[in-house]
Amino acid sequence: MKFVRFCAYFVWKGAKSMLKLALCDDDAQQRAAVGALLQEYAALRPALAVKLSSFSSSWDLLSEEEEGACFDVYVLDVVMPDVSGIELGVKLRELGRSGAIIYLTVSPEYAVDSYATQAFYYLMKPVEPERLYHVLDQAVAALEKRKAASVTVKTKEGLRLVRLDSILYAELAGRAVRYHLAGGEQVVTVTQRCSFQEAVAPLLARPSFFACGASFVVNLYYVTAVEKRFLLLDGQHRVPLARGLAAKAKQQWSSFWLDGAKEDPL
């Protein structure tokens, strides 16, 4: 397929934050129509500095991601050749991308499948401008909230501020807590004088984190599957799940994506 990529920048003096948008649709007319709506959204939100990148295929977007791109919001068509929008979303999550995914489609039959990608929203075509703008506003608000939320961790090197959205899971390591972060980094605390549950209390105070035993706490944002004795995170990490907790884990995971993700997007 012919490669088509379009980038546009909308920057105003005094812009408060940058928003990187990725649009992917193999249909040129649909891509142009939705792209125009996204440009209009940028023009209507002068508080944002918006960068829009448009792609004609899933492979083009994935190639850009593999070269280091990392978008805040992905607006994806569901039905595309070779790699569908759902498959693209799964691959983005496997790459560690946590940006909000908004799906566009002519059929509601793929809505359930979109949960596998931790989709932020699912919109029907033709897209209603005001509805799209409202969803984008929600995604931006969630992004800002996620960036602002963090926990202070005391390590041997000193105090470390760790963003909650970067934590895959935390585990008890001797008498310390080891935080596994997206991207592979690990942050280990100094020896804790309190219990593991007390040490990770700031995480458990949020609906986005779940205690899957006495020694592990996972970020539900990164959970891709709940097995009988394990939670699968980001498509590669398997965290032990205490006996009898599978049903509770499924319930909290489902509740997080149906309700909590809009209020607590971490």
Side-chain angles (χ1 to χ4, degrees):
M1 178 178 292
K2 183 179 180 180
F3 172 73
V4 178
R5 184 168 184 269
F6 166 77
C7 290
Y9 293 83
F10 306 86
V11 185
W12 292 265
K13 183 177 180 180
K16 295 181 180 179
S17 59
M18 168 72 75
L19 179 68
K20 294 183 291 182
L21 280 170
L23 167 64
C24 187
D25 195 320
D26 66 300
D27 186 297
Q29 290 186 331
Q30 288 290 330
R31 190 169 62 251
V34 177
L37 292 179
L38 295 176
Q39 292 179 46
E40 181 177 333
Y41 173 79
L44 293 171
R45 302 296 187 271
L48 291 174
V50 180
K51 175 185 177 182
L52 172 62
S53 298
S54 184
F55 303 88
S56 63
S57 76
S58 298
W59 290 120
D60 291 339
L61 175 52
L62 286 173
S63 177
E64 189 82 356
E65 289 288 353
E66 290 172 351
E67 291 179 5
C70 188
F71 295 95
D72 299 310
V73 178
Y74 301 88
V75 181
L76 310 177
D77 183 32
V78 171
V79 181
M80 292 189 287
D82 298 327
V83 178
S84 71
I86 301 297
E87 294 171 324
L88 173 58
V90 171
K91 290 181 181 295
L92 289 171
R93 296 307 185 214
E94 290 175 348
L95 287 172
R97 301 301 186 261
S98 60
I101 295 177
I102 299 172
Y103 281 117
L104 308 179
T105 187
V106 295
S107 173
E109 65 178 299
Y110 300 99
V112 175
D113 294 335
S114 70
Y115 283 109
T117 69
Q118 306 157 345
F120 187 83
Y121 220 92
Y122 192 95
L123 293 173
M124 299 294 295
K125 293 181 179 180
V127 181
E128 298 178 9
E130 291 304 316
R131 188 165 180 77
L132 173 61
Y133 301 161
H134 178 65
V135 171
L136 287 170
D137 283 342
Q138 287 184 309
V140 170
L143 175 66
E144 293 301 319
K145 184 176 180 181
R146 192 170 72 223
K147 288 181 177 179
S150 59
V151 62
T152 301
V153 177
K154 187 175 182 180
T155 70
K156 292 181 179 179
E157 292 75 28
L159 294 179
R160 169 81 179 270
L161 199 63
V162 179
R163 277 174 42 181
L164 295 180
D165 70 317
S166 71
I167 300 174
L168 288 173
Y169 66 98
E171 67 172 321
L172 180 64
R175 295 191 60 188
V177 177
R178 177 180 288 111
Y179 293 89
H180 296 259
L181 309 185
E185 183 183 2
Q186 296 183 14
V187 177
V188 183
T189 69
V190 296
T191 299
Q192 301 291 295
R193 296 183 179 181
C194 59
S195 67
F196 176 70
Q197 285 70 25
E198 291 175 309
V200 297
L203 305 187
L204 294 177
R206 311 184 73 100
S208 49
F209 285 88
F210 177 74
C212 50
S215 305
F216 291 90
V217 171
V218 302
N219 188 340
L220 294 173
Y221 185 87
Y222 292 101
V223 173
T224 55
V226 178
E227 301 174 353
K228 185 176 181 180
R229 296 300 302 274
F230 291 93
L231 292 181
L232 185 63
L233 274 65
D234 215 20
Q236 53 184 328
H237 302 276
R238 297 180 77 222
V239 178
L241 182 63
R243 186 182 301 275
L245 282 182
K248 183 179 179 180
K250 288 180 180 179
Q251 180 180 21
Q252 189 165 330
W253 183 42
S254 176
S255 296
F256 169 68
W257 283 111
L258 290 175
D259 304 307
K262 303 298 185 296
E263 300 175 1
D264 184 16
L266 300 174

